[in-house]
Amino acid sequence: MSAVTNFVYRQITHVGRAVTVAQGLKMRLSGVENIPDEGGAVIVCNHTGYMDFLFGAYLAYQKKRLVRYLAKASVFKAPVVGRLFEVMGHVPVDRIDGGASIVKGTELAKSGELVGVFAEGTISRSFEIRSMRNGAARIAHAAGVPIIPQIIFGSQRLWTKGQKKHLGRTNTPILITALEPYYTTGDADADIAEVRRRMQEALEELWTQYESEFGPMPAGEYWVPARKGGGAPTLEEAEAQDAVVEDERYRVRRLRDDLAHLKGYVSAATIELVRDRMMLKKSAAPEEDAVLADVPSDAAPDNTTESAAADQVKERPRTAPETLEWIKENLNSVVEEATRGLEEGRDKVTEVMAQLKSDVAEAQASMTASGKEIFAGSVVEQGLLSAATQSRLIVSRLPHRVKAEYSAVPRIVVADQSALSMEGGEVSKRLQEALAQVYPQVEELVIISQQGTVLDAAAVEDIPQDVWRIACAEGAEGVQFNDAPGGPVATASSPAEGLAAVVKKIGAEPKDLLFFANEPGDETFAEGDEDVAVHMVALETAPIEVVKAARAVTYSAERFGMAEVLEAMARLQKSKKK
């Protein structure tokens, strides 16, 4: 760090120390000897209040050393504090995607700096040590420096999340201790788990120290941990609240990636639209209207006249007007709804949304100019259909759509075998867990194998629901049921025939079903063939007719689309109970 940066930082630390004196804070420090006199280290602090940036550097101050914190990026946007953080050499952390801060933190630690990390990621509402992210362990291992666990108790009494500030002369006891250095093993998860264990033990020792000097903690007070009789939420309750925030950050990351993916589809389709129209304007006879085509190179042999080529183009089937309208509607939906309800992380999608809106407008204009002259099966059509499918996927995953679509849990889940996420020949652990989350509301799982080969018993043995398997065999007469390991197997000539028989045998109705569709012909289930019209969710890999017929779209089997929907249902049910 530059001399100017260090000078400014030191002046600020002097001011911070003066503030603690003015507040009459009763500082109780221990473990100063564990702060290295020189060289890099990662200081891992617990986080209970907004003044922890001051207290976390307090022991280092005794050694005349400075701590460069990894701090959430939003702090750096504050008019005054943000500028000070920049000048002091702190590192902004993008809580949606924090990879860059890990790299910067490693560089600082390697260069001999003390790097401060609040590994819990946010203020612990329980005032205990909440679960930690492994970034601190990764930085320490990559830089070849130790972790110095550090505990603060009392900061929450001054200023914490959801409570009034108490920044006057409060005479509040603040206890800070640094533990012995911990040297990482290279297993970041195991390392941070061990650091957390040591920090929790040390925190409990600080509780004992506090009570031995200042008396019992007052029952019911907001700043007292629940285990000490206080009004703070338990660790489990606090982590449940924080999980909601983490889920939203994860959703924003996926939304950003999905929008970028969609932008790629739209851009490619628009380029094809413009390119093909320009090519055909050049090749068409003067008296012919310009048409949009995707003509293969062998469509017009050298000895074919331009007139014959034009006739051949005219005979090719066009994309149906209603399909073009469906594409436009889906592109419009994602532009209008993608950022609805988005709070934290809105800036992460703003740029890609602006680009996407521009691309969609251009694509819409090109489609309008092309009119009916987009050929069925062409590169252009496939690109537009892919863009529409991606649009439906994005919109289907928006919170208000999820709530509207998945608030009710079905009695029976039906899935094409190709819709199941598989690992090592078995239903994936994540999908098994998702099915367990909606059990016993979901009583039955029906798996349809259109290829005729059903999953064996081992593949489904850990699924809590009763499992029915349907094997499709061309020419089969009626539906034959056979008891088999892993659950009954129904052999039928078609998926519709087999499902109708299974539903009847279970004693259910179409309204009891949720169908994860991924195969040609599945659209008939939504249309009511064989008296089975079901609530259908298409995977993004499903044929376009299935996507058009479905009420929602989810990710592919490889991206755990079915599991994600079931997990959403479980969350919504849990929130209803609260």
Side-chain angles (χ1 to χ4, degrees), residues 73-84:
S74 59
V75 173
F76 290 77
K77 297 177 182 178
V80 178
V81 175
R83 181 57 184 152
L84 286 176

Side-chain angles (χ1 to χ4, degrees), residues 531-559:
D531 297 322
V532 181
V534 301
H535 180 173
M536 190 164 74
V537 177
L539 274 65
E540 61 181 324
T541 45
I544 197 64
E545 293 305 321
V546 178
V547 172
K548 289 168 69 175
R551 286 173 53 173
V553 177
T554 188
Y555 288 123
S556 64
E558 290 72 22
R559 297 209 286 170

Side-chain angles (χ1 to χ4, degrees), residues 236-294:
E236 292 74 19
E237 291 169 343
E239 295 222 320
Q241 295 174 38
D242 293 333
V244 175
V245 177
E246 290 299 320
D247 286 344
E248 177 63 7
R249 289 176 186 158
Y250 172 77
R251 186 182 78 82
V252 171
R253 284 195 295 272
R254 295 294 290 266
L255 175 60
R256 179 193 58 193
D257 293 344
D258 288 343
L259 288 170
H261 196 188
L262 172 59
K263 181 185 177 302
Y265 279 134
V266 174
S267 297
T270 304
I271 290 170
E272 288 293 330
L273 278 164
V274 174
R275 181 185 67 81
D276 285 355
R277 191 164 63 249
M278 291 178 65
M279 288 177 62
L280 283 165
K281 279 182 179 179
K282 291 180 180 179
S283 63
E287 66 275 9
E288 296 288 342
D289 290 332
V291 292
L292 177 65
D294 185 23

